[in-house]
Every structure is written in C-alpha cells, then in structure tokens.
Amino acid sequence: MACLEKAQSSGWVYPTAVLCFYGFFANFKPAEPFLTPYLVGSYKNISEEQVTNILFPIWTYSYLALLFPVFLITDFLRYKPVIVVQGICLVINYVLLCFAQGMPAMKYLQFNNGMVTASEVAYFSYIYSVVSLDQYQKVTSYLRSTTLVGYTLGSTLGQLLLSVGNMPYFYLNAINLGTASVAFLSSFFLPMPRSGMFYKKESVAVSKQNNHCGTNGTVNSTTGTNTLSASPPDSIMPENNKKDKGLEHKTHSVASVLLQLWCSFKECYSSRRLIYWSLWWAFATCGYYQIFNYTQLLWNHLEPSMNASVYNGGVEAVTTLVGAIASFSVGYVKLNWDIWGELALGMFSAVNAGAVYMMAFTNSIWVCYAGYVAFKASYMLLITITTFQIAANLSMECYALMFGVNTFVALVLQTILTAIVVDQNGLGLDIVTQFIIYGSYYVVISVLFLIRGVYTMSHYKCGRTTSDSCEDFTRDPKVHVIFSDKL
C-alpha cells in the first residue's frame, strides 16, 4: 500500500503507467486479424455475404450514433467511468465470440463494438486531464507507442500460435477474453480526474466565456465567481436562496460549457488552412475505416481460409510496424508544410488509390497483402502530419473538439458510403467491386488536393517573385536616378 500511495503521489507517472498498461492489454488482440475466417468458418457458420452486407455495416451505424453522445458524456463523467465501460464492452465482445451463436448475438456484438470504438476518445483524452501541460508530448508518445506495441505483439502471437502451434481460432478468442479482462480490471486503478476539459468549475468556464466570447461579466480574482451582480456570501444567505443558487449554478455551468464548445468550434474552423487539413482528415479516415473493416473479406475471397494457410496476423504486425516507422520519421522531415502540405496530401492519396486498386485487381494474396501494407503505411504517415499540423495551431480543448468533429464527419461519410455500396438494402455490391469504388474514392481525394496543392505552391512562388522584384527595385541605385530625373 505504501508503494501504491507513493506512486500515486508522483504526479504524471502513475496515471500514465496505469493507462499504458490498460491500453496494451486492450489492444493485445491475437484473434482480431482472424475475425472473418472465424465468423465464416465452422465456428459461427455465417456466410460471407451476411458478414459483408449485414453484420459489418452495423458497426458503422452504431459508431456514428454513439460517437457524439459519448464525446459529451466522457467529459461530463470525467473520463474514468467511460474507460471502465469500454473495458466491460471489450469483455462482452469476446464472451459473445467464444460462447454465443446465431445472427442476433453477432449483430449485438457489432453494436457493442461500436461502443468500444466510440469510447476510445476517453482513452486518448483522459491523460490530459491529470497531467500538466509540459508533460503532454511525453505522455502522448507513451500512449500511442503502447497501443501500437500491444497490437503488433498480439497479431504476431496470433500468427505464431496459428501457423506453428495449429491452434484453433476459438482459443485465440479465449486468450483475447483473458487480456480484455486484465484491461478491464486495471481501469479501476486509474485516478479520478478533478475536472474535464470542458465541464470545468464554473469559474474556469465563465472566465473562458468572458475572454473568448466577449461577454460583459467579470470574474473575481479571489473567489473565482461571477460578479455581474453583488450577492451576499453563503454564510448569511437563507437556505432557500442557497438551493436556488445551486440550481442556478448547475444551469449556468451547462450553459457555459455549451457556449465554450461553440466558441471553441468557431476558433477551430476560423482558419482556411485548418479547414483543408480537416477535410482531408475526414475524407481519408472514411476510406481507411472502410478498407480496414473489409480487407479480411477480400483476403478470404482471394484465398479462402478453409483451403489455405492464413497469414493475416503477420501482415497486420508488419503493417503496424511499417506504419509506426513512417509516423516516427515525420519528426525528422524538414519541410514547410504550409506550402507543400496540401501537395503531399494529394500525392500520397494517389499512392493510397494505387494500393487499393492493386488489392482489388490482383489474383495473388501476396500482392494484396503488399497493397494493404503500402496503403496503411501511407495513411499513418499522412494522419500523423495532419494531426501535428492541426494540434500545433490549437489549444488542447480545441484540438479535442476538432478531433471529435472530424471523426464525426468521417463517420457520416462512411455511413453514406456503407448504406449505398455495402448494405443489403442498398446496392449490396461484392467485395471486389467495393474495393474498386474505394480506389476511385481516393483518386477523387488525390485530384482535389493536387489541384489545391499546385495552386498554393504557385501562389507562394508568385508572391515571392513579386516580393523579390520590389526589393530589387528599391535597392537598385540606377532605378532611383532615372526616377528622380523624370521627376
């Protein structure tokens, strides 16, 4: 107990260590790369068409429906309860995969998985409410690295157990049930934050409201309360007035939070450059979600798991490792992203389009694997650049809000794409045709940002040329002599 109390009093170390422990085991998933073979195989006996056109779209719809409410509730409940709920949902996922049968159970599984994904905002936002600003960069790198390491090691272990040990898919899911249970239990050891980023004490909310939105109220520097009108202290206030003041305090706090959210929203999207980066984030993330969700079905179509060895886990491990290296390399790239950023987005979006087309048109599973590695590495590289460019120009509150809004827009686009292309009530296209459409989707993104990038670069060069000409004109003595003679 003494060691635990000492660790808890050490500031940022204890909550970061516990959250990294939780993130590692929550993402340690040996069975996830083999979800599709498990569902369409003898364990669940679900057809490939049902998985594609019925089950997987449920995740998209539930994620969209839950994202915004969970985003608001997460800050209101101060993160930890939502992380605990995420741990419970993870355990439920693998209980259903191990022991439940039939389409109704699998449909609920997809809905429950939408809750798990929507709750990720709590995992990535919690740490910023319990550590100081100067520790943000350090703890962020720890959390991101932990999730990548957990996923990579889990995928590698799953592949080894399957290829070397011939372990059935059921036992991989049983191992996942154990790791999810460890993550769930560890979430109880997280310290409870004193406040969220938006639902803060009234003094903070009112202060930000006055500073950013131009209200006429003032904040008392001693008490931190609103002094729009003079009011007696609580010690001499009647009991009924105290109750009314408490109710008014809660109402005013909620109103302040909503006003703060609106002011933060306007601040986030007041820059045209940030809007372009956000648009790429939303459009590209929509396509990434679709390809990540349905790529196992494409692999199973090219090389049915019942007839051949499956290397999905090894591919996912290699892909995550290559993506992590690509993301890490961004920190060493010296480039003016204000000028070259949009052109880079367009060029690498073209790489994404080519990789997806390669996956769609090939008959070789290994070429399809290579296309997936190229696609995911390119996406992780660009999303790292985009995240850095947005975060560098915003406060943490604004960044969290923009992250939520951009993800919400991506999910709206994904829902539209799923409803038209994938869902059985829409076109219900086969998996190969779907990937051809996803490749064309990235072609459109690439063309738009290449045009915008060329415009930005040419505008910068023209402005620079004009500036240099003006500088030469003012510095050339002959020009001054001729000009004075004419005068």
Side-chain angles (χ1 to χ4, degrees):
M1 288 296 294
C3 294
L4 182 62
E5 291 177 359
K6 184 178 179 180
Q8 290 177 337
S9 62
S10 62
W12 66 272
V13 177
Y14 175 75
T16 304
V18 175
L19 195 62
C20 285
F21 185 86
Y22 171 87
F24 177 85
F25 282 97
N27 288 276
F28 190 87
K29 301 175 179 179
E32 181 161 299
F34 310 99
L35 176 61
T36 297
Y38 183 68
L39 292 176
V40 302
S42 59
Y43 296 94
K44 299 301 178 183
N45 287 319
I46 302 173
S47 69
E48 188 175 315
E49 290 73 20
Q50 287 177 311
V51 174
T52 305
N53 304 127
I54 298 177
L55 286 184
F56 283 0
I58 294 175
W59 173 85
T60 303
Y61 302 147
S62 62
Y63 189 10
L64 175 65
L66 293 170
L67 179 63
F68 188 70
V70 169
F71 176 78
L72 293 179
I73 292 173
T74 294
D75 201 67
F76 180 74
L77 297 179
R78 292 180 290 169
Y79 307 102
K80 179 180 176 178
V82 179
I83 296 177
V84 174
V85 170
Q86 185 188 44
I88 295 174
C89 292
L90 276 172
V91 173
I92 293 173
N93 272 357
Y94 291 103
V95 168
L96 292 172
L97 282 172
C98 288
F99 305 111
Q101 296 292 334
M103 283 293 290
M106 295 301 102
K107 287 180 179 179
Y108 178 73
L109 167 69
Q110 292 299 318
F111 174 82
N112 191 69
N113 197 42
M115 181 63 189
V116 172
T117 316
S119 303
E120 285 182 353
V121 64
Y123 172 78
F124 288 110
S125 302
Y126 164 87
I127 199 65
Y128 302 121
S129 63
V130 293
V131 302
S132 59
L133 182 63
D134 59 335
Q135 303 292 343
Y136 277 7
Q137 182 175 353
K138 184 184 296 184
V139 298
T140 301
S141 65
Y142 291 160
L143 294 180
R144 293 285 181 180
S145 301
T146 301
T147 57
L148 289 174
V149 170
Y151 190 80
T152 302
L153 292 180
S155 300
T156 304
L157 177 64
Q159 187 64 63
L160 290 174
L161 292 175
L162 187 67
S163 299
V164 179
N166 292 320
M167 180 174 286
Y169 294 131
F170 173 82
Y171 293 105
L172 294 181
N173 283 283
I175 294 173
N176 258 155
L177 177 58
T179 57
S181 300
V182 171
F184 166 62
L185 293 175
S186 68
S187 65
F188 288 99
F189 292 93
L190 290 168
M192 191 73 174
R194 295 182 179 180
S195 65
M197 284 189 291
F198 293 105
Y199 286 93
K200 297 183 179 181
K201 293 181 180 180
E202 182 184 4
S203 59
V204 179
V206 173
S207 176
K208 288 192 174 185
Q209 171 187 338
N210 293 338
N211 290 336
H212 295 295
C213 297
T215 55
N216 295 325
T218 59
V219 179
N220 189 300
S221 60
T222 304
T223 63
T225 57
N226 193 344
T227 57
L228 276 171
S229 58
S231 58
D234 289 346
S235 57
I236 60 174
M237 187 178 293
E239 191 66 27
N240 291 337
N241 288 353
K242 288 183 181 180
K243 293 180 180 179
D244 294 341
K245 184 178 179 181
L247 180 62
E248 181 182 354
H249 171 87
K250 293 180 180 179
T251 305
H252 186 68
S253 296
V254 173
S256 299
V257 168
L258 294 176
L259 184 58
Q260 182 188 350
L261 284 171
W262 173 243
C263 292
S264 298
F265 179 83
K266 291 194 295 184
E267 180 182 346
C268 289
Y269 296 96
S270 60
S271 167
R272 181 178 296 180
R273 187 168 62 87
L274 290 183
I275 290 176
Y276 290 134
W277 286 99
S278 297
L279 285 174
W280 183 89
W281 180 337
F283 284 123
T285 301
C286 163
Y288 171 77
Y289 282 157
Q290 286 295 95
I291 291 167
F292 181 77
N293 288 345
Y294 294 96
T295 189
Q296 287 189 34
L297 287 161
L298 181 62
W299 294 342
N300 196 73
H301 173 79
L302 292 175
E303 199 80 37
S305 56
M306 294 179 289
N307 303 331
S309 299
V310 178
Y311 298 98
N312 297 2
V315 173
E316 287 288 359
V318 171
T319 301
T320 305
L321 181 62
V322 173
I325 294 173
S327 300
F328 182 77
S329 65
V330 171
Y332 297 92
V333 177
K334 303 301 180 182
L335 199 64
N336 189 339
W337 295 108
D338 292 345
I339 302 170
W340 298 98
E342 291 159 358
L343 195 61
L345 293 178
M347 293 172 62
F348 279 99
S349 295
V351 172
N352 286 343
V356 176
Y357 277 141
M358 186 168 67
M359 295 171 66
F361 289 114
T362 185
N363 292 320
S364 169
I365 186 65
W366 294 105
V367 174
C368 191
Y369 282 155
Y372 179 70
V373 172
F375 169 80
K376 193 169 181 179
S378 175
Y379 171 81
M380 292 183 71
L381 173 72
L382 289 182
I383 199 65
T384 303
I385 296 171
T386 304
T387 303
F388 169 77
Q389 287 298 305
I390 292 176
N393 293 278
L394 297 173
S395 65
M396 185 51 60
E397 290 88 347
C398 288
Y399 172 72
L401 180 61
M402 180 170 270
F403 177 88
V405 172
N406 291 347
T407 305
F408 182 77
V409 173
L411 282 172
V412 170
L413 294 172
Q414 187 192 8
T415 301
I416 295 172
L417 195 60
T418 301
I420 296 173
V421 176
V422 182
D423 199 298
Q424 63 174 355
N425 296 319
L427 297 177
L429 300 176
D430 63 273
I431 192 65
V432 174
T433 306
Q434 288 182 35
F435 270 72
I436 294 173
I437 292 176
Y438 302 152
S440 304
Y441 174 82
Y442 271 99
V443 167
V444 173
I445 296 175
S446 175
V447 170
L448 290 176
F449 278 90
L450 282 174
I451 293 173
R452 174 65 193 175
V454 170
Y455 170 79
T456 301
M457 187 176 61
S458 60
H459 182 73
Y460 169 78
K461 286 192 172 182
C462 288
R464 188 174 180 180
T465 303
T466 304
S467 176
D468 291 343
S469 300
C470 292
E471 186 176 353
D472 292 340
F473 178 80
T474 55
R475 288 183 179 180
D476 192 345
K478 296 180 180 179
V479 173
H480 284 281
V481 170
I482 295 172
F483 188 69
S484 62
D485 289 344
K486 288 187 176 181
L487 281 176

